[in-house]
Amino acid sequence: MPLFDFTKRMEPVRAIKKRTLKMILEASKSQYPNEFAAMLKADKGVIKELWLLPGTESGETSALFRMHMMPHEPKIVGTVHSHPSGSYYPSDADLDLFNRFGYCHIIVCEPYNMRSWACYDGHGNRRKLDTV
Ligand SMILES: [Zn+2]
């Protein structure tokens, strides 16, 4: 059973602001060798803000989201985290998280540039996300 089943109330999302993506890449770089993790907040279909979940732990192997700290916020559409490993493919733990929550999940990896990231839907399939 999903922890939070309010997907239907979530905003449909088509793009992310370049500025927000750059912020993610910078934060991921500065967190290295740990993972950076945050929630993605969209407004009118565009991700414009990051929301840092209180109590989110950064570690070298996984970023743990404390889902019980999650507010009922329909504008939060998914998650972002970094892979210091250099691969933006989701791990089994990532797929489990994607499946439980949201429909737009970004993974960024080394070297943390505008090409080293990918976006997935709730089933772990690659999905298109424009940068604007
Ligand atoms: Zn991961």
Side-chain angles (χ1 to χ4, degrees), residues 35 81 83 91 94 107:
E35 286 191 5
H81 73 279
H83 277 181
S91 66
D94 292 341
I107 299 177

Side-chain angles (χ1 to χ4, degrees), residues 2 21 40 87 128-129:
L21 184 59
L40 300 171
S87 155
K128 191 172 142 59
L129 188 69

Side-chain angles (χ1 to χ4, degrees), residues 5-124:
D5 194 11
F6 53 94
T7 309
K8 286 188 182 72
R9 286 205 291 128
M10 287 181 171
E11 295 242 338
V13 62
R14 59 177 175 82
I16 182 167
K17 280 267 180 202
K18 274 193 189 117
R19 183 167 46 82
T20 309
L21 184 59
K22 276 180 189 157
M23 198 190 293
I24 291 168
L25 294 166
E26 283 304 313
S28 300
K29 214 182 277 182
S30 72
Q31 284 280 357
Y32 181 89
N34 292 326
E35 286 191 5
F36 167 75
M39 295 283 168
L40 300 171
K41 209 169 161 184
D43 184 39
K44 296 184 182 78
V46 180
I47 296 164
K48 293 177 180 170
E49 263 185 77
L50 300 178
W51 201 82
L52 299 173
L53 202 59
T56 297
E57 285 173 5
S58 270
E60 286 184 30
T61 51
S62 68
L64 185 72
F65 288 96
R66 297 255 170 97
M67 300 305 283
H68 63 275
M69 302 291 282
M70 187 68 204
H72 284 261
E73 167 58 88
K75 290 193 169 188
I76 292 177
V77 295
T79 63
V80 57
H81 73 279
S82 66
H83 277 181
S85 65
S87 155
Y88 52 57
Y89 293 99
S91 66
D92 288 345
D94 292 341
L95 292 173
D96 189 51
L97 169 74
F98 296 176
N99 210 274
R100 282 195 294 170
F101 168 80
Y103 57 87
C104 180
H105 300 277
I106 295 175
I107 299 177
V108 303
C109 66
E110 279 200 278
Y112 308 117
N113 62 31
M114 294 303 269
R115 284 162 182 245
S116 59
W117 65 281
C119 187
Y120 302 89
D121 66 15
H123 305 289

